[in-house]
Amino acid sequence: PNPTRDYIRFQYFVLQNQGSLSVELYDILGKRLAVKSMGKQAEGLYEDALPVQNLSPGEYLIVFNTGTERVAKKLIKL
């Protein structure tokens, strides 16, 4: 859910021959706070979560990396 209090849950689809996957969490100033690596995975739909209960309330940026592409989304922590 976004906004969230305890964790951010996300779904992603892995394409065939896709690179190593990871998720990064940044504060509003661009400081990297967390990295979660999922490595290489078989093609398919996956669900995972990133804990955020220790973060202060505010806005953050969550970045999904596929090895060839980066997608950023705003995260609001209550």
Side-chain angles (χ1 to χ4, degrees):
N2 189 13
T4 187
R5 291 184 192 278
D6 298 323
Y7 62 93
I8 184 74
R9 194 171 61 201
F10 52 91
Q11 288 185 331
Y12 57 97
F13 189 84
V14 175
L15 300 173
Q16 189 175 25
N17 298 322
Q18 194 161 24
S20 186
L21 303 170
S22 67
V23 175
E24 299 174 342
L25 184 67
Y26 293 88
D27 67 13
I28 199 72
L29 299 175
K31 179 181 176 188
R32 188 168 64 179
L33 304 173
V35 177
K36 182 170 191 167
S37 177
M38 285 83 78
K40 289 190 121 190
Q41 296 176 319
E43 183 174 350
L45 181 64
Y46 295 88
E47 186 171 310
D48 209 334
L50 189 65
V52 296
Q53 66 267 23
N54 294 331
L55 298 176
S56 299
E59 291 184 13
Y60 296 87
L61 194 63
I62 188 165
V63 179
F64 301 92
N65 298 302
T66 67
T68 58
E69 186 178 355
R70 289 172 56 99
V71 176
K73 299 288 182 181
K74 185 167 81 169
L75 167 66
I76 299 173
K77 167 69 164 80
L78 299 177

